[in-house]
Amino acid sequence: MPAEIRHPLAVQYTLPGQRPYLGTLHELPDSVLAGDLARGLTAAAHPNGPIRTYREARHAVRCARHLARHLHETGFTGTLSSLTATQLTSYWLEFGFTFERHSRITLNGFLADSGTLHAGIRSHLEGRPINQQAGSTPHRPYSDTEWRRIDQAARTAIDTAWQDHRRALDSAERGTDPIANGITWDNLAWLIRRTGPVPVRAIRAMIPRAPWAITTTVLEIRDALFPSGYTALVYNLRLAMLTGAVPDGIDTLSVADFTHTGPGTGLLSYRKGRTAREALNLRGPAVRLLDQWLAHSAPLREHGGELSDSMWINYNGTALSGHPRTPWQRIKWAKTVGLADDNDQPMALHGGRIRTTWHHRRERSAWTGRTTIDPNHTPAIEGDHYLHHHTPAQVEAIEGVVEEAQRDIRRKAAPPIIATSQDAARFAADFPRLIADAGLDGDAVQRLLDGEQDVFVASCASLYNSPHAPAGTACPARPWVCLLCPLAVFTPRHLPNLLRLQRYFADQERHMTNAQFLAIFGPYADRLSTDLLPRFSTTAIRAATENGFAILQPEEMP
């Protein structure tokens, strides 16, 4: 069973590929309510619910305790079935998205376990959350100098630990039983190598009349023979820096997940939290690093029992562990080696930032041909989390592209230039601004009004400076493109062709689906019918119609 209720009241999670977690609830003030919450937490475990990792289980139990204590403080007593929608929504509104999300998981699990809830609460559970998740902040990659500091600190720690380990093994090979042959460094190494990682008092108890002075020596030999949490942490950190694998995937590795595929190549299989198992091809440094770690931790695995298959097995001074990358260990190790950022402030090691930096550096070195960093990501996610940070030169170039696009949008949104008798007075008043906006001079304006620069539905202010072609090249755009072009000037003499174009749009609409028509002609047809033609008088439109303009045939369109 992935989750079951224990006594005293607690929920025991044994989720696939995750370390066990025991969430206690017996200390809650209302034992009846705690029992219902335990039912919901148990039923919400994988594969029947969304709780599928150690972290999710821990957060769900923590939020369930929070809900129980809050309800008790507000005077609520009884089961979840007697909880009202008003009480629950007040809790959600007060404490935000995280507590609402996890309480929804627990309540849905309670319903799945044949529990009953108030009708209003069931309606809320079927609908949208009250609180929306705040947007995440993209991980900022480490700078080149920060990356080098982390790399150098990890290399130094690994080399030092490995050299100490080799010397301790050599001492153990030379040593003999200290009980029979006396207390020496080699003899103590021989004894500790065979007894395994045990407390110092256990070693002292084995040696009659052992002096207190051997305590420091025993600690040094034990830490050299059997890797501590700090040693496992730097190997873990170095592997992340070499491969860019997800932190949770690296943390849960087992020995069987790494296999050699050649003399200097290997295959690393790991589980990503929200997807299935993934594989990573390793070469050179990463393969050598894992080989060295497996050799470094081999003596400890002989005494590891159930944890012997865990990749990151270590001894923390009191017990064996398989998870060295805890927050306090990362913080303490960074302080111990004196890691500082570019502002000379203590540097915090973050697995997500290490992965982001790895991708950022790879992106700058060469393109691999992949359109996304991770096949499980959308381009939007990768843009936010991995490709968000750029150099100043890149930012300047991107801003230039954005500004140019914004100028194009403004030109398209500007009202068309139409010279009708009704607009004559307004045109005269706006003439200086229109000339400046269009970049025209007096000769160009005269040619526009005389019809020397007419195209099909308008007069073009600059046929050889089109936004749709390179400078110095005649505009190749279709006639309807002029409807949204900032260089087009519309006069009454263009009205017949505008009406022909309207008839052409109507004919195309009959032969195309709505989606096709809107995608191809939608913006132009809307500009023509709602912005251009209403500027002309009814008399002018009637005159153009009565004159019997020819209907433009499809084959006449360029």
Side-chain angles (χ1 to χ4, degrees), residues 8-255:
L9 188 61
V11 180
Q12 176 69 57
Y13 288 96
T14 52
L15 299 165
Q18 302 289 314
R19 52 176 165 162
Y21 173 70
L22 180 67
T24 60
L25 300 171
H26 59 81
E27 73 279 6
L28 295 177
D30 190 336
S31 59
V32 176
L33 180 62
D36 285 349
L37 292 173
R39 289 174 55 192
L41 291 168
T42 303
H46 177 79
N48 301 316
I51 300 177
R52 60 182 64 233
T53 65
Y54 173 90
R55 182 179 180 183
E56 290 171 348
R58 182 164 55 88
H59 283 322
V61 173
R62 180 174 65 91
C63 291
R65 293 196 197 104
H66 186 272
L67 173 61
R69 291 193 175 97
H70 173 78
L71 293 176
H72 180 74
E73 291 172 0
T74 58
F76 175 80
T77 58
T79 64
L80 284 179
S81 301
S82 57
L83 183 65
T84 65
T86 302
Q87 293 169 315
L88 185 61
T89 53
S90 298
Y91 171 77
W92 287 345
L93 289 171
E94 182 177 355
F95 294 103
F97 172 81
T98 300
F99 290 98
E100 178 185 357
R101 175 179 177 271
H102 288 289
S103 60
R104 281 175 172 268
I105 290 174
T106 303
L107 293 173
N108 279 319
F110 180 71
L111 280 177
D113 193 45
S114 303
T116 59
L117 292 173
H118 188 275
I121 295 179
R122 292 199 303 272
S123 299
H124 276 294
L125 295 178
E126 294 170 358
R128 296 178 57 189
I130 294 176
N131 299 287
Q132 299 300 316
Q133 186 175 14
S136 60
T137 302
H139 293 310
R140 180 177 61 85
Y142 292 105
S143 67
D144 288 341
T145 55
E146 291 173 339
W147 187 256
R148 285 195 295 270
R149 292 190 197 110
I150 298 173
D151 182 65
Q152 184 60 42
R155 283 171 176 265
T156 302
I158 290 173
D159 291 344
T160 302
W162 176 246
Q163 292 170 7
D164 293 343
H165 179 72
R166 295 303 307 168
R167 283 196 295 268
L169 286 179
D170 292 342
S171 297
E173 291 294 329
R174 293 191 301 266
T176 58
D177 189 354
I179 300 175
N181 301 297
I183 299 175
T184 65
W185 178 282
D186 292 349
N187 291 345
L188 286 175
W190 179 90
L191 178 63
I192 297 172
R193 174 72 173 81
R194 283 155 178 75
T195 58
V198 295
V200 176
R201 62 178 180 273
I203 298 295
R204 288 175 47 81
M206 297 178 188
I207 305 174
R209 297 181 300 278
W212 284 100
I214 71 167
T215 301
T216 303
T217 304
V218 170
L219 288 175
E220 292 178 1
I221 296 173
R222 190 185 67 185
D223 290 343
L225 284 173
F226 308 117
S228 65
Y230 295 124
T231 303
L233 171 65
V234 291
Y235 275 97
N236 180 294
L237 173 64
R238 180 75 179 139
L239 181 63
M241 297 179 71
L242 290 173
T243 63
V246 292
D248 55 348
I250 292 181
D251 289 349
T252 57
L253 287 176
S254 65
V255 175

Side-chain angles (χ1 to χ4, degrees), residues 367-381:
W367 184 50
T368 63
R370 295 179 60 181
T371 56
T372 57
I373 293 170
D374 191 314
N376 301 301
H377 291 163
T378 64
I381 290 295

Side-chain angles (χ1 to χ4, degrees), residues 478 504 507-508 551-558:
R478 299 289 182 126
Y504 175 74
D507 183 62
Q508 294 301 310
I551 299 177
L552 187 66
Q553 299 299 324
E555 58 269 15
E556 299 178 32
M557 302 297 291

